[in-house]
Amino acid sequence: MKVYTKDGREIGFVAKYWASILAYKMDVGFSYTLSLDKVEVEKKVIYIQVKTMPASVELLNGIPLFNNRNNNTT
């Protein structure tokens, strides 16, 4: 997952671990804003802050619930 400046210059990549999490969530409809905190050119590292944008009710309704309390099998 590449990171670009507002004017379209590529400045780096999101770490593989975080990219896999963000990409999955983006695929199902979540969106994010990123802000650049720091760049360490020598280490080839960028530090970003990620904020989740508000999700629509339709998107949230499509997420399966893992604890269905109305379906007890005791």
Side-chain angles (χ1 to χ4, degrees), residues 39-63:
V39 176
E40 293 185 8
V41 176
E42 301 82 26
K43 294 182 181 179
K44 298 181 181 176
V45 174
I46 60 172
Y47 296 89
I48 59 173
Q49 286 186 5
V50 179
K51 293 184 181 178
T52 305
M53 300 300 291
S56 69
V57 172
E58 293 82 16
L59 174 64
L60 296 175
N61 283 338
I63 297 173

Side-chain angles (χ1 to χ4, degrees), residues 15-74:
K16 183 176 163 180
Y17 172 79
W18 286 108
S20 65
I21 292 170
L22 293 172
Y24 171 77
K25 291 182 176 187
M26 290 169 70
D27 285 348
V28 297
F30 286 91
S31 60
Y32 300 90
T33 59
L34 304 176
S35 59
L36 184 64
D37 281 345
K38 182 168 91 171
V39 176
E40 293 185 8
V41 176
E42 301 82 26
K43 294 182 181 179
K44 298 181 181 176
V45 174
I46 60 172
Y47 296 89
I48 59 173
Q49 286 186 5
V50 179
K51 293 184 181 178
T52 305
M53 300 300 291
S56 69
V57 172
E58 293 82 16
L59 174 64
L60 296 175
N61 283 338
I63 297 173
L65 298 176
F66 295 106
N67 294 323
N68 187 350
R69 297 176 187 205
N70 295 328
N71 198 8
N72 293 334
T73 58
T74 56

